[in-house]
């Protein structure tokens, strides 16, 4: 098989971690989620994925993705013709896992990522890739002009790599242009951001998180009227999701919950309703 390189910027390189996590998980007999497309993409990219082998955080990335998948699935069950926007889409395959055949999808990321993504995915009448920074207003105008609400924005493993001012700007953009929309995001507390040089996966790349967020409720302070609909750590996932996980994963998560480790408790996955 002829492989292609992954010539990506510093932060953009981090997209390869969850991609590899899904590919590794998908090969397991009792997997958290199945993602054959991720397996194919990993095999087609010339990159030293082995640096991430056997890292505990790979499972964390899969659990995060699985929870975001559930949130998107719930949104589309309530709004079958709604619009899903993947912010920092990377090489995610959420469309393949959750699309209902009616929704409108936009997949946003920086130009170098979209160039790589186009080697594996193509635009359709319902699925559009956009090459832009999440902080640019132009992409917001494009989405608004070519879709109808309600809107679900999935910002998975993206916002912590921005500055707080940039995150504030992104929240303002979404709330101003798409009032009443839903935003799924992850946040990292000071203990995580302050020790990321020792993180099992981030220590293997150059990118570093910038935005420290001890409590996602801060978004409601930025935009009065915003509501935190749900907020979970990896050791306190929703009961329906936990009950469906493989027994080995449940056992691992129960152990994490008992230890109350700061690096687990400070990392939150949240669902926000914007005013």
């Amino acid at each position: 098989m002829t492989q292609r390189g992954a010539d990506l910027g510093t932060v953009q390189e981090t997209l390869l971690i969850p991609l590899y996590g899904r590919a590794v998980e998908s090969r397991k007999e009792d997997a958290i989620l199945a993602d054959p497309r991720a397996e194919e993409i990993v095999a087609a990219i010339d990159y030293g994925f082995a640096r991430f082998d056997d890292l505990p955080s790979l499972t964390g990335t899969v659990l995060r993705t699985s929870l975001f998948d559930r949130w998107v699935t719930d949104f589309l069950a309530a709004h079958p013709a709604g619009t899903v926007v993947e912010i920092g889409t990377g090489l995610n395959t959420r469309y393949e896992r959750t699309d209902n055949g009616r929704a409108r999808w936009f997949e946003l990321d920086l130009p170098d990522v979209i160039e790589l993504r186009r080697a594996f995915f193509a635009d359709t009448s319902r699925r559009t890739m956009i090459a832009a920074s999440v902080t640019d207003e132009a992409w917001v105008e494009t989405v608004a002009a070519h879709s109808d609400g309600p809107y679900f924005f999935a910002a998975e493993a993206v916002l912590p790599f921005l500055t707080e001012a940039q995150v504030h700007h992104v929240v303002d953009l979404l709330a101003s242009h798409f009032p009443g929309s839903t935003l799924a995001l992850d946040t990292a507390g000071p203990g995580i951001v302050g020790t990321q040089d020792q993180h099992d996966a981030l220590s293997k790349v150059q990118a570093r998180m910038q935005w420290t967020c001890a409590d996602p409720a801060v978004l409601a302070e930025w935009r009065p009227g915003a509501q935190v609909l749900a907020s979970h750590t990896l050791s306190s996932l929703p009961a329906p999701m936990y009950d469906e996980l493989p027994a080995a994963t449940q056992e691992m998560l129960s152990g994490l919950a008992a230890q109350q480790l700061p690096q687990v408790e400070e990392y939150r996955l949240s669902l926000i309703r914007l005013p």
Side-chain angles (χ1 to χ4, degrees), residues 168-187:
H168 202 312
H169 174 63
V170 170
V171 171
D172 284 345
L173 280 178
L174 299 183
S176 297
H177 288 78
F178 308 100
S181 61
T182 303
L183 169 65
L185 75 160
D186 53 327
T187 55

Side-chain angles (χ1 to χ4, degrees), residues 164 168 171-172 213-228 272 274-275:
E164 180 172 314
H168 202 312
V171 171
D172 284 345
C213 180
D215 185 350
V218 69
L219 273 68
E221 298 176 9
W222 293 352
R223 299 291 302 199
Q227 297 175 280
V228 179
I272 309 292
L274 296 174

Side-chain angles (χ1 to χ4, degrees), residues 152-233:
F152 186 102
F153 295 91
E156 183 180 356
V158 177
L159 300 183
F161 292 97
L162 303 180
T163 65
E164 180 172 314
Q166 289 173 321
V167 177
H168 202 312
H169 174 63
V170 170
V171 171
D172 284 345
L173 280 178
L174 299 183
S176 297
H177 288 78
F178 308 100
S181 61
T182 303
L183 169 65
L185 75 160
D186 53 327
T187 55
I192 296 176
V193 175
T195 61
Q196 59 186 312
D197 286 350
Q198 288 77 51
H199 186 271
D200 63 351
L202 285 179
S203 62
K204 306 293 192 299
V205 297
Q206 295 182 8
R208 291 294 179 266
M209 293 180 285
Q210 301 185 75
W211 178 42
T212 300
C213 180
D215 185 350
V218 69
L219 273 68
E221 298 176 9
W222 293 352
R223 299 291 302 199
Q227 297 175 280
V228 179
L229 303 179
S231 189
H232 302 276
T233 67

Side-chain angles (χ1 to χ4, degrees), residues 32 124 143 157 209 259:
I32 298 169
T124 69
V143 169
M209 293 180 285
Q259 295 178 65

